[in-house]
């Protein structure tokens, strides 16, 4: 993710990537060279660099809270990858540190900024197709075996597939529809935690079914899809581009601009959602406007909700 974000910074006007930190110097150097950025192997060195005013944290999930708190206390604004933290106590420390320091904190829930999901948000909020009756959100992949020190395989560090991957869809459902009246989860778990999850939520009569996991065979393709059924139409992104179906009209396939990252593959090749989320963070900081599209409290709620989904799966096993 650090490499992906660095590609975005290369494409964003006004942002200079000035310092890269990774405990593996070579990993930081590989990215830094294209940006003329300094390199260090400890967060303390990076925080001592007075040219740094925003810290972007793309560390393993269990390290998010300590790094975020330290950076905020050092007077830097922080954008931190999702999930916010490994547990609620850590998320609370992050929120408290942001409040105490007066520095801003945003969690990078990129799906809120993903063009197709933004179109779905607009369709829902505008009422163009009437009330949203149901929404299926799907996210499946093979286990990501490339993480440093294989930290993703350690449930205590990553929270398993449900917390690492499925939280994207939980966060989006809550972002779109608020707090669910009811949520029921089933799933499967293995030595890496909850690896596949099925959750049904009810939001005042709008039913959302979320399904995802990271236990597909290694050769199977990643899949991110949704199907939204409204009173007067549907929006479907599944096995093809997003298409909007409206009663009495021809289906429309909105044009989605693609900004492809150099050398990236799979579902991570499109800078789109990552570009728009980082641009939003930077623009709001520049103008002093609130980060109201994605508050730390809303990211905390997504964490609380996903942890409850995981608890239900484990309890039922
Ligand atoms: N938004 C998304 O679509 C998305 C996709 C992938 C990952 N993520 C999130 O991004 C975060 C990072 O995931 P990743 O896949 O990039 O992991 P990764 O293992 O590929 O990268 C983590 C990097 O952190 C470095 N690191 C580890 N401990 C360190 C320390 N103490 N000090 C300095 N550097 C250290 C590692 O050397 C490695 O280069 C996770 O929270 C993950 O959930 C988000």
């Amino acid at each position: 993710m650090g490499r992906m974000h660095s590609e975005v910074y290369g494409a964003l006007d006004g942002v200079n990537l000035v310092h890269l930190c990774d405990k593996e110097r070579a990993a930081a150097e590989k990215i830094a060279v294209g940006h003329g950025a300094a390199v260090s192997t400890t967060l303390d060195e990076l925080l001592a660099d007075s040219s740094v005013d925003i810290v972007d944290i793309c560390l393993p999930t269990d390290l998010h809270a300590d790094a975020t708190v330290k950076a905020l206390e050092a007077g830097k604004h922080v954008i931190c990858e999702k999930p916010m933290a490994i547990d609620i106590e850590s998320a609370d420390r992050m929120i408290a540190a942001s409040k105490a320091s007066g520095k801003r904190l945003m969690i990078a829930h990129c799906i809120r900024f993903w063009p197709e999901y933004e179109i779905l948000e607009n369709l829902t909020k505008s009422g163009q197709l009437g009330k949203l009756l149901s929404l299926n959100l799907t996210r499946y992949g093979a286990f990501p075996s490339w993480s440093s020190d294989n930290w993703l395989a350690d449930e205590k560090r990553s929270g398993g597939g449900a917390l690492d991957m499925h939280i994207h869809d939980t966060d989006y459902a809550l972002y779109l529809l608020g707090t669910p009246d009811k949520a029921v989860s089933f799933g499967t778990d293995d030595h890496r935690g909850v690896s596949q999850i099925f959750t049904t939520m009810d939001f005042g009569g709008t039913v959302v079914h979320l399904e995802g996991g990271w236990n597909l065979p290694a050769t199977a393709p990643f899949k991110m899809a949704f199907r939204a059924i409204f009173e007067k139409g549907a929006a479907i992104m599944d096995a093809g581009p997003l298409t909007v179906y409206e009663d009495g009209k021809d289906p429309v396939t909105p044009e989605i601009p693609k900004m492809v990252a150099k050398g990236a593959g799979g579902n991570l090749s499109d800078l789109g959602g990552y570009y728009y989320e980082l641009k939003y963070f930077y623009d709001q900081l520049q103008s002093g406007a609130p980060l109201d599209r994605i508050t730390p409290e809303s990211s905390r709620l997504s964490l609380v909700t996903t942890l409850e989904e995981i608890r239900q799966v484990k309890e039922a096993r």
Side-chain angles (χ1 to χ4, degrees):
M1 253 309 113
R3 184 180 49 72
M4 175 61 77
H5 284 195
S6 72
E7 293 236 6
V8 171
Y9 293 129
L12 266 181
D13 285 341
V15 179
N16 290 320
L17 184 52
V18 292
H19 200 129
L20 268 135
C21 171
D22 196 297
K23 71 181 175 63
E24 307 297 335
R25 179 173 286 277
E29 277 171 348
K30 218 153 110 187
I31 297 173
V33 67
H35 297 268
V39 165
S40 61
T41 53
T42 65
L43 184 59
D44 287 335
E45 289 170 84
L46 179 135
L47 296 177
D49 183 340
S50 60
S51 66
V52 172
D53 44 18
I54 298 173
V55 176
D56 181 340
I57 294 173
C58 298
L59 288 167
T61 300
D62 60 317
L63 304 178
H64 287 181
D66 284 354
T68 295
V69 169
K70 216 168 179 181
L72 289 165
E73 286 175 348
K76 319 287 186 187
H77 301 294
V78 172
I79 178 150
C80 175
E81 260 305 334
K82 51 48 66 182
M84 185 172 193
I86 198 74
D87 54 33
I88 299 162
E89 179 270 333
S90 299
D92 287 340
R93 283 199 290 124
M94 294 161 81
I95 292 173
S98 173
K99 288 195 173 132
S101 64
K103 296 292 163 185
R104 310 246 235 141
L105 170 63
M106 184 174 116
I107 307 304
H109 283 291
C110 57
I111 296 301
R112 298 193 195 195
F113 297 85
W114 216 268
E116 288 88 343
Y117 291 76
E118 283 186 328
I119 291 172
L120 175 57
E121 178 190 350
N122 291 336
L123 286 170
T124 305
K125 293 186 174 160
S126 69
Q128 183 186 327
L129 303 178
K131 181 178 155 62
L132 177 63
L133 302 176
S134 68
L135 172 63
N136 285 58
L137 296 163
T138 304
R139 189 169 305 274
Y140 269 109
F143 174 72
S145 56
W146 56 80
S147 67
S148 52
D149 308 323
N150 204 18
W151 68 271
L152 281 168
D154 181 350
E155 185 184 6
K156 290 194 187 67
R157 304 200 65 195
S158 69
L163 191 64
D164 190 71
M165 210 166 84
H166 165 78
I167 194 170
H168 278 299
D169 289 323
T170 298
D171 178 74
Y172 183 75
L174 270 53
Y175 171 62
L176 192 68
L177 297 165
T179 308
D181 303 320
K182 193 163 184 195
V184 181
S185 299
F186 291 94
T188 60
D189 59 356
D190 57 27
H191 62 287
R192 300 178 186 130
V194 173
S195 52
Q196 188 179 15
I197 192 157
F198 305 84
T199 296
T200 304
M201 298 181 177
D202 184 73
F203 297 82
T206 298
V207 180
V208 180
H209 185 71
L210 311 101
E211 182 183 336
W214 65 14
N215 60 354
L216 289 184
T219 46
F222 176 81
K223 174 172 169 139
M224 149 167 122
F226 62 74
R227 184 178 67 246
I229 300 182
F230 296 84
E231 286 170 326
K232 294 186 289 183
I236 301 176
M237 184 183 79
D238 193 356
L242 167 63
T243 305
V244 179
Y245 303 85
E246 187 166 359
D247 290 348
K249 294 188 181 171
D250 288 337
V252 174
T253 301
E255 198 168 318
I256 311 285
K258 294 282 179 217
M259 289 175 279
V260 176
K262 289 179 234 132
N267 64 310
L268 295 183
S269 61
D270 183 12
L271 288 182
Y274 307 115
Y275 177 85
Y276 297 120
E277 76 180 355
L278 296 178
K279 182 173 184 335
Y280 171 79
F281 183 62
Y282 178 69
D283 287 349
Q284 301 304 94
L285 289 189
Q286 282 298 97
S287 67
L291 293 163
D292 47 11
R293 246 187 104 176
I294 183 158
T295 63
E297 288 77 10
S298 71
S299 300
R300 180 190 187 277
L301 181 63
S302 298
L303 176 67
V304 169
T305 307
T306 310
L307 290 175
E308 170 59 16
E309 292 179 71
I310 292 169
R311 191 197 65 74
Q312 288 189 20
V313 171
K314 286 180 179 280
E315 193 181 69
R317 300 307 306 161

